[in-house]
Amino acid sequence: MSQHDDRTRHTRRPGLTRRQLLQGMGAASTLPLLGGIAPFAIANGSAGRVVVIGGGFGGATAAKYLKRANPAIEVTLVEPAEVFYTCPFSNLFLGGLRDMRSIAHGYDELRDRYGVRVVHSLAEDVDPDGHRVHLANGETLAYDRLVLSPGIDFRWNGLEGYDEAAAELAPHAWKAGAQSELLRRQLEAMDDGGTFVMVAPENPYRCPPGPYERASLVAHYFSQHKPNSKVLILDAKDSFSKQGLFTAGWERLYGDRIEWVGLSDDGRVTRVDAENLEVETEFGTRHRADVLNVIPPQKAGFIAERAGVTDDSGWVPVKPATFESERVRDVYVVGDATVAAPMPKSGFCANNQAKVVAAAIAAELSGRSAPEPYWTNTCYSLIGPEYGISVAGVYRVQEGVIAEVEGAGGLSPADAPDHIRALEAEYAVGWYNAICQDTWGTSV
Amino acid sequence: MILSWRRASTLSIVLLLGGLASTAQAENEFSREQLEVMAGGCASCHGTDGRLAGAVPAIAGRPASLLESRMLAFKADEVEDTTVMNRIAKGFSDEELAALARHFAENPGPQGDVP
Ligand SMILES: Cc1cc2nc3c(=O)[nH]c(=O)nc-3n(C[C@H](O)[C@H](O)[C@H](O)COP(=O)(O)OP(=O)(O)OC[C@H]3O[C@@H](n4cnc5c(N)ncnc54)[C@H](O)[C@@H]3O)c2cc1C
């Protein structure tokens, strides 16, 4: 649908006053001058320039919702890839339940319908004083506000022996795309009777329940095609997200096919020998894998460091109400790169944080104060194609920090009957379609 | 009390009649900008503006009173076979749920049909 159609529909919306309409359309010139200073935008008809780095869950959502809030804001989205493969549902691809095309999204709608300028290049550096971003293609972009949603980078060699070359032998598949395809090929090539070994990281990392959903769906694939094969999870933690629900689901669907070894039972891997598909744990136990999946330690995407917004942890502290960097003015950060606990590093949260940031920036550029933030999260995990579980949370700023609203959220019930697990599996698919429509819009 | 989906819908229709009168009065409790942010989480499962129909139903363009009574029933754990909406609805005050209901009622439904 073209932008024109969309606007026509909006003007027909009942109950919308002319004033609301003008606000929605970002008629900057109708706004009063604040403190004698005209919003800089008026002169050239623009309501300000915003550069968004990263076209994943956080960045694509921020770009779209900035334009929705005020089409007069000039929004440039910088993302090297023309096709984005989502990590969500990449575990279904690994389990043989989806193809890669079904988790691929593009930027046409952001460009054609919402008027976002999309530049397919890598942001190499940020000059926060000069308010400029330098791209690998040689272009320099000036901004009034900068949004970073670069996701994660790996701490290569943070786990001894695991570097970029090792990832070609023992894939992480923790960014979806070529790595997911490599891991899937290895699973397909593995002889029946083999062992899939997964190395799971300590907190914090992208998608707390992700490793356990992956173990589940690899076990599903084995149960269909390689009945004598096993899954072994070596974990640097003693507990994990939705543990009770996962453990019960594993037993119910896969018997003893999946074995989990936690920190206290010498589950923490300290060295990887990718060439021999072997790992060594803290107390010297060696495990040989037939397929080895290493989920390495992580940090915010490198551009966050270049912008000067990270702290010693490697992640980005932000002001709770707006997600503006605590360290650098006019730079906002969303998604996995941030320290946003109790919100998890999920695509759902990145999408919700981006909407709050878009509203805050749009308000600020027009001289109004930002609306109160509201965030929600639901992380679905599929233990089998018809067996879904979830954890949810609603978040607000309380006493200056991000807090989970008491009495809300929580886990799927431990004693839910099969038809509820099946419903949650269905809703997981509904969620996936909706969040991808809301973020990239390529499915509608 | 546990209501089945059908009972809850019947109840909603009854509430619909009583609900219309009160719809207009609280209209300006939250600014449009504020409502957009409050509704941000809804779109992550129901699509932008709540308009995506599928396994998770569209919520745009439905009568406000029906949406409101349904969300209050979720919040009170009165809808049978609920999976996640009871956990979400509990994160919002009754006034917020009412405002969200009016907000989505104003959006055109999935086919662009104005309610
Ligand atoms: C196996 C797995 C399963 C998951 N399942 C779920 C799930 O079911 N539900 C859920 O909510 N979440 C899930 N997640 C988590 C989800 O993928 C992340 O939380 C989400 O992607 C975070 O969004 P983001 O915008 O921070 O980063 P991303 O979505 O990774 O986007 C970052 C983008 O920034 C770009 N970028 C980075 N640096 C630069 C630069 N310098 N210049 C330009 N562009 C740059 C990258 O190319 C990338 O496209 C899962 C993750 C994994 C690994």
Side-chain angles (χ1 to χ4, degrees), chain A residues 380-397:
Chain A
Y380 286 101
S381 298
L382 289 161
I383 297 180
E386 284 161 20
Y387 193 111
I389 58 172
S390 63
V391 60
V394 180
Y395 308 89
R396 302 293 312 274
V397 173

Side-chain angles (χ1 to χ4, degrees), chain A residues 9 13-14 16 64-65 68 348 351-352 355 359 363 368 371-372 374 376 378 380 390-392 394 396 405 407-412 419-420 423-424 426-427 430-431 433-435 437-438 444, chain B residues 5 27-28 30-34 36-49 51-52 54-57 81-84 86-92 96 106-108 112 114-115:
Chain A
R9 213 182 49 243
R13 190 187 289 174
L16 204 63
K64 167 168 165 176
Y65 275 76
R68 274 170 53 97
F348 200 123
N351 166 281
N352 273 229
K355 289 171 190 169
R368 298 190 303 275
E372 290 273 311
Y374 285 76
T376 306
T378 303
Y380 286 101
S390 63
V391 60
V394 180
R396 302 293 312 274
V405 176
L411 297 162
S412 308
H419 78 274
I420 291 287
L423 259 182
E424 289 224 81
E426 249 179 72
Y427 291 155
W431 163 78
N433 293 338
I435 199 162
Q437 182 274 325
D438 190 41
V444 158
Chain B
W5 279 93
E27 201 76 25
N28 295 319
F30 299 101
S31 70
R32 177 144 203 100
E33 266 175 335
Q34 183 61 71
E36 290 281 345
V37 167
M38 198 188 290
C42 308
S44 314
C45 290
H46 296 276
T48 303
D49 291 326
R51 300 182 67 236
L52 190 69
V56 179
D81 282 358
T82 306
T83 56
V84 78
N86 53 346
R87 292 179 260 160
I88 304 284
K90 286 177 185 135
F92 296 84
E96 288 168 337
E106 276 182 17
N107 285 332
V114 174

Side-chain angles (χ1 to χ4, degrees), chain A residues 53-346:
Chain A
I53 300 182
F57 280 89
T61 304
K64 167 168 165 176
Y65 275 76
L66 276 160
K67 278 294 193 182
R68 274 170 53 97
N70 185 351
I73 298 173
E74 291 174 57
V75 180
T76 306
L77 177 66
V78 183
E79 162 63 52
E82 288 186 26
V83 176
F84 183 90
Y85 292 97
T86 59
C87 286
F89 278 28
S90 66
N91 287 332
L92 277 87
F93 165 74
L94 293 176
L97 296 162
R98 275 198 173 228
D99 60 23
M100 285 297 278
R101 258 197 63 200
S102 76
I103 59 167
H105 304 276
Y107 299 93
D108 288 359
E109 186 176 293
L110 287 177
R111 190 175 38 232
D112 301 340
R113 177 169 173 189
Y114 290 97
V116 174
R117 178 172 177 241
V118 182
V119 180
H120 289 299
S121 184
L122 186 76
E124 283 185 334
D125 212 349
V126 175
D127 164 13
D129 297 327
H131 281 58
R132 272 166 218 286
V133 178
H134 300 287
L135 309 189
N137 68 4
E139 211 181 316
T140 296
L141 301 172
Y143 66 81
D144 299 306
R145 298 289 185 282
L146 176 64
V147 180
L148 302 179
S149 191
I152 56 161
D153 269 347
F154 301 113
R155 294 177 179 279
W156 299 119
N157 285 311
L159 174 56
E160 191 190 327
Y162 198 70
D163 57 14
E164 279 176 279
E168 294 305 314
L169 304 168
H172 52 78
W174 220 242
K175 292 183 184 182
Q179 277 276 310
S180 322
E181 290 181 296
L182 175 61
L183 186 54
R184 174 68 192 164
R185 279 198 303 274
Q186 292 183 348
L187 286 167
E188 279 173 355
M190 190 187 90
D191 288 334
D192 188 19
T195 302
F196 169 75
V197 176
M198 173 194 288
V199 177
E202 35 187 308
N203 295 318
Y205 63 95
R206 157 175 285 182
C207 195
Y212 315 97
E213 180 189 65
R214 176 173 293 177
S216 309
L217 295 178
V218 169
H220 168 78
Y221 168 66
F222 287 168
S223 70
Q224 307 289 301
H225 299 279
K226 310 202 172 184
N228 301 305
S229 308
K230 297 265 186 210
V231 175
L232 172 64
I233 308 168
L234 299 171
D235 210 324
K237 307 177 288 299
D238 261 332
S239 62
F240 60 87
S241 171
K242 302 182 244 187
Q243 186 164 5
L245 291 169
F246 271 113
T247 310
W250 290 344
E251 210 168 287
R252 171 98 169 71
L253 298 185
Y254 307 119
D256 58 4
R257 190 184 297 278
I258 300 175
E259 187 189 352
W260 176 75
V261 182
L263 173 68
S264 302
D265 293 316
D266 196 21
R268 190 166 85 90
V269 168
T270 51
R271 200 177 60 81
V272 175
D273 177 353
E275 240 156 84
N276 294 306
L277 298 183
E278 204 175 79
V279 295
E280 193 177 316
T281 59
E282 201 171 1
F283 295 104
T285 314
R286 290 183 178 200
H287 298 270
R288 235 199 73 79
D290 295 284
V291 173
L292 178 59
N293 174 208
V294 178
I295 304 167
Q298 301 158 24
K299 58 181 180 177
F302 80 93
I303 198 71
E305 211 176 302
R306 304 307 292 258
V309 294
T310 50
D311 67 13
D312 291 344
S313 71
W315 303 101
V316 180
V318 290
K319 295 177 186 167
T322 57
F323 276 55
E324 187 179 6
S325 159
E326 275 187 358
R327 308 193 154 203
V328 182
R329 265 192 56 200
D330 298 336
V331 180
Y332 294 71
V333 190
V334 295
D336 289 356
T338 61
V339 180
M343 275 188 265
K345 295 188 189 302
S346 72

